[in-house]
Amino acid sequence: MYTHKKQVISHGKPLSETGKALIMIHGRGASAESILSLADHLPVDDFSLFAPQATNHSWYPYSFMAPTEQNQPALDSALEQIHDLVKTIAGEGISSQNIYLLGFSQGACLASEYAARNAQQFGGLFLFTGGLIGPQLDTGNYKGDFQKTPVLITTGDPDPHVPVSRVEETVKVLEGINAVVTKKLYKGRPHTILQEEITLAMQILSGKERD
């Protein structure tokens, strides 16, 4: 078992110029560089981008629905890495409503779990094919108030890694702590990100969903 070495790749203009941060969390077997390439398709020229890198290219070793102890200590270490990054960005004078979290697959699971455990008014959450972590959800873990944070959560129906039922459970938890959730299920979609999902994310990033 393993813990994560702290490693973050940053891209774009510095926070002192943008005042907005997008944290991008890669999936299993992928890399910080690969998730950063998604930014080429998003309106993020006025964001500072941050992509943490998982040790062994995996945030935790087993399925996100495996018994939690099987994924330790990697899972707690991964959550700590995201928390430390958010604290570092906040320490630069960036308010939580100008911090956005994005993840794909295992990265979406980690993003949702971190955000639900530390609910506050984020700029937005983009959960591309993921859900909250654990064999059953322990609602005692989820604290705070999203204060109407916009959330996009998507998955294929079916998806080989993320059951639709867990996406539905995740929506219920996030809405229960005051997130505004857009859920999209795509029949027969492979384990990827579609253009429609990117378009929906663009609307949140540009602030159009608040108009």
Side-chain angles (χ1 to χ4, degrees):
M1 301 301 281
Y2 57 92
T3 57
H4 296 280
K5 179 183 177 184
K6 299 287 172 63
Q7 183 181 356
V8 179
I9 296 177
S10 58
H11 191 69
K13 300 170 186 172
L15 282 169
S16 58
E17 290 185 30
T18 65
K20 292 189 291 187
L22 174 61
I23 297 170
M24 307 180 75
I25 308 174
H26 69 76
R28 187 188 300 272
S31 66
E33 289 93 344
S34 66
I35 194 71
L36 277 170
S37 69
L38 183 62
D40 295 341
H41 306 280
L42 295 169
V44 291
D45 288 346
D46 59 345
F47 283 76
S48 303
L49 308 180
F50 299 88
Q53 174 64 52
T55 298
N56 301 333
H57 298 276
S58 181
W59 293 110
Y60 42 85
Y62 297 103
S63 162
F64 79 118
M65 295 179 71
T68 303
E69 59 271 16
Q70 291 185 10
N71 280 319
Q72 298 294 14
L75 174 57
D76 280 350
S77 176
L79 290 166
E80 181 183 1
Q81 180 150 332
I82 305 306
H83 187 60
D84 287 350
L85 178 54
V86 170
K87 283 199 302 183
T88 298
I89 292 167
E92 295 283 326
I94 309 303
S95 62
S96 64
Q97 57 262 41
N98 287 316
I99 299 174
Y100 297 68
L101 293 163
L102 178 154
F104 171 64
S105 191
Q106 193 186 54
C109 297
L110 185 61
S112 65
E113 187 71 19
Y114 168 76
R117 291 185 183 206
N118 300 274
Q120 54 197 295
Q121 187 182 18
F122 291 107
L125 303 179
F126 309 98
L127 310 175
F128 296 117
T129 310
L132 291 165
I133 296 172
Q136 295 87 32
L137 298 187
D138 180 356
T139 54
N141 286 335
Y142 310 126
K143 298 178 173 65
D145 183 344
F146 278 121
Q147 299 177 57
K148 306 297 184 185
T149 295
V151 177
L152 173 65
I153 185 167
T154 65
T155 194
D157 182 10
D159 181 85
H161 305 290
V162 180
V164 169
S165 59
R166 178 50 58 91
V167 171
E168 304 279 11
E169 289 178 289
T170 300
V171 169
K172 186 175 180 181
V173 168
L174 298 181
E175 289 181 337
I177 44 180
N178 209 14
V180 178
V181 182
T182 299
K183 177 191 72 181
K184 293 291 182 180
L185 308 178
Y186 298 97
K187 288 286 185 185
R189 190 209 66 182
H191 193 68
T192 187
I193 300 174
L194 301 177
Q195 180 59 49
E196 181 184 325
E197 297 169 71
I198 291 172
T199 300
L200 290 167
M202 290 170 70
Q203 293 172 0
I204 295 175
L205 286 164
S206 63
K208 289 178 180 174
E209 93 300 333
R210 296 182 190 272
D211 295 344

